Amino acid sequence: MDSNEVRPAPGIDAPNNQKEEHVAVFKPSAKAAIPTALGWVLLAIAFSASLVFAMIQRPDLVYLPGTRLALLLGLIWAVCLIPLLYKLLVLKTMTYSLSTQRLEYTRGILHRRRDQLELVRIRDITSNRTLMDRLLGIGTVILDTVDRSHPEFRIQAQPNVYELSDWLHKLNAAERQRLGYREYEGTQGL
């Protein structure tokens, strides 16, 4: 797994005299915005083409001088591109930070929020790749946890989703072994 940043985390000694080590920081891929972009660009093209077609076919009903036509077309494109820009901004402000003991998730454009999930609380790891995800070379890792605030945690738009799942599984198993954590049948979610 490639990481953007690898360094030991400052802090207090963990149980068994092991310090928590920072392992990786990763972000969602901007490729996840491509389906949204295609939809909104096609909508803008359709509105623009219908306006121009109406002006050509019925100039008596639709008369717009050059400046007004340009302003109306600009407005159509601006309205259609705002959701795309918002989606890109949301993707670019998401950060997943992984250490040997926890996964921290930071998100938000103006109001930033940081949540953390202890790796030992992960029960199951699933990789999901829709047809569009496979075409774009990305996927989603779904973590089934016993955490109350995140019973299902999604790591979205990641390249190499299968390697990430395997890596998270190894980190989860190592943390469970380090803590001597056992989960008994029928006790999930307690």
Side-chain angles (χ1 to χ4, degrees):
M1 177 97 255
D2 293 344
S3 64
N4 296 341
E5 178 182 338
V6 178
R7 61 177 167 77
I12 304 169
D13 287 347
N16 299 335
N17 294 327
Q18 290 184 352
K19 284 190 176 183
E20 180 177 11
E21 293 182 26
H22 184 79
V23 179
V25 174
F26 43 97
K27 293 179 159 273
S29 173
K31 291 179 184 178
I34 290 175
T36 304
L38 288 175
W40 286 104
V41 167
L42 288 175
L43 187 65
I45 289 171
F47 278 133
S48 300
S50 63
L51 178 65
V52 171
F53 182 75
M55 287 183 61
I56 293 171
Q57 294 298 319
R58 299 295 305 261
D60 55 323
L61 293 178
V62 181
Y63 173 72
L64 294 171
T67 307
R68 287 190 182 164
L69 176 63
L71 285 174
L72 187 57
L73 288 174
L75 180 66
I76 289 171
W77 279 90
V79 166
C80 289
L81 291 179
I82 286 173
L84 169 63
L85 296 174
Y86 177 75
K87 173 90 175 187
L88 280 171
L89 195 56
V90 166
L91 285 172
K92 285 301 169 190
T93 57
M94 260 190 240
T95 304
Y96 302 97
S97 180
L98 187 64
S99 73
T100 54
Q101 297 175 8
R102 75 187 88 239
L103 173 67
E104 290 181 353
Y105 170 58
T106 307
R107 68 190 176 285
I109 298 170
L110 297 177
H111 175 78
R112 302 286 290 165
R113 181 174 177 178
R114 188 179 94 178
D115 294 321
Q116 52 186 345
L117 173 68
E118 300 292 327
L119 290 180
V120 74
R121 300 183 66 87
I122 298 172
R123 283 193 307 194
D124 190 36
I125 300 171
T126 306
S127 300
N128 186 26
R129 294 182 75 197
T130 63
L131 177 61
M132 185 59 71
D133 288 345
R134 288 175 40 211
L135 291 172
L136 296 173
I138 58 176
T140 301
V141 177
I142 303 168
L143 305 174
D144 181 29
T145 72
V146 293
D147 191 68
R148 288 181 189 226
S149 60
H150 302 100
E152 183 179 279
F153 188 81
R154 294 176 173 266
I155 302 174
Q156 301 175 357
Q158 295 299 311
N160 304 320
V161 72
Y162 297 129
E163 289 91 8
L164 178 60
S165 294
D166 293 341
W167 192 45
L168 284 169
H169 176 72
K170 288 176 186 175
L171 288 171
N172 175 260
E175 182 66 3
R176 283 176 177 246
Q177 183 178 14
R178 183 182 73 83
L179 294 175
Y181 183 84
R182 300 280 186 259
E183 187 173 286
Y184 297 100
E185 196 65 37
T187 61
Q188 294 89 355
L190 292 180

